[in-house]
Amino acid sequence: MQVPDGPARQRKIVHIDMDAFFASVEQRDDPELRGKPVAVGGSRERGVVAAASYEAREFGVRSAMASVTAKRKCPNLIFVRPRFDVYRAVSLQIRTIFAEYTPIIEPLSLDDAYLDVTENLKRVASATQIAEEIRAKIRAETGLTASAGISYNKFLAKLASDHRKPDGLFVITPKMGPAFVENLPV
């Protein structure tokens, strides 16, 4: 029997976001790139950064940045051609992990999704425990890290996953929600 939504039943939303996904896959697959500033994208004059490793981000390199600007900010930046077939395969691997916990999955891109775990397939009461298990499985099965945010709606779950990046987990409870949003910069 399904329990109706109401004041006594709070939704549990988990937002999983892979950390520097394309760049992390490249660093995982090529040990020479680990610990170095990496940009996935075109290095030519009209090229654009599709993803930047955290080492590159320290220099101010961001996705959607012109490659010439990125190279100016980080002269040692290593450009890697995108391998979208590999990213799609890893994304499917991650979504298979999500599906072990809930059928209610809303992918936003190859590297992030919302999961409604209010009622989940493993009957785990704690959304935090589910997020921890998913992050551990992702690391074990793909060698990659993910950040997770947990809250009672998608907006706050997304803010929570961004709050402890990379490789972090953060919860915004109903009690914390209004104050958390109030303190955000405009």
Side-chain angles (χ1 to χ4, degrees):
M1 178 174 106
Q2 182 125 3
V3 179
D5 282 326
R9 187 166 172 266
Q10 192 70 58
R11 286 180 69 204
K12 298 176 186 175
I13 306 297
V14 176
H15 179 254
I16 302 285
D17 193 1
M18 299 302 294
D19 299 321
F21 184 53
F22 298 170
S24 294
V25 169
E26 297 303 337
Q27 288 177 316
R28 176 197 72 179
D29 293 352
D30 183 351
E32 292 289 316
L33 299 175
R34 291 183 193 152
K36 296 180 180 167
V38 173
V40 175
S43 61
R44 297 228 163 114
E45 191 175 316
R46 295 179 148 246
V48 174
V49 174
S53 68
Y54 283 97
E55 295 85 357
R57 291 178 187 190
E58 289 176 17
F59 291 89
V61 177
R62 301 275 178 261
S63 56
M65 179 179 279
S67 296
V68 292
T69 304
K71 194 70 172 170
R72 203 174 314 117
K73 287 180 173 279
C74 181
N76 295 326
L77 189 62
I78 301 165
F79 280 92
V80 179
R81 294 176 76 68
R83 298 181 303 147
F84 290 108
D85 55 328
V86 175
Y87 311 144
R88 273 190 288 279
V90 175
S91 180
L92 288 173
Q93 206 178 350
I94 293 161
R95 288 195 192 152
T96 300
I97 294 169
F98 297 162
E100 293 174 21
Y101 292 86
T102 180
I104 307 171
I105 302 165
E106 184 182 332
L108 301 170
S109 64
L110 289 176
D111 73 324
D112 72 326
Y114 292 113
L115 313 172
D116 187 329
V117 297
T118 309
E119 292 183 20
N120 59 81
L121 301 172
K122 302 231 181 202
R123 300 186 190 275
V124 176
S126 167
T128 302
Q129 181 182 334
I130 291 170
E132 288 170 342
E133 288 179 18
I134 288 171
R135 290 177 62 240
K137 281 190 94 143
I138 288 170
R139 185 186 297 265
E141 293 182 21
T142 70
L144 301 170
T145 62
S147 295
I150 300 115
S151 198
Y152 54 96
N153 66 43
K154 292 189 294 187
F155 171 70
L156 291 175
K158 171 69 173 129
L159 289 177
S161 69
D162 287 341
H163 196 65
R164 290 272 164 84
K165 275 191 144 308
D167 197 20
L169 182 145
F170 190 71
V171 179
I172 300 175
T173 65
K175 205 175 240 183
M176 295 167 58
F180 189 88
V181 172
E182 190 175 289
N183 289 318
L184 292 174
V186 176

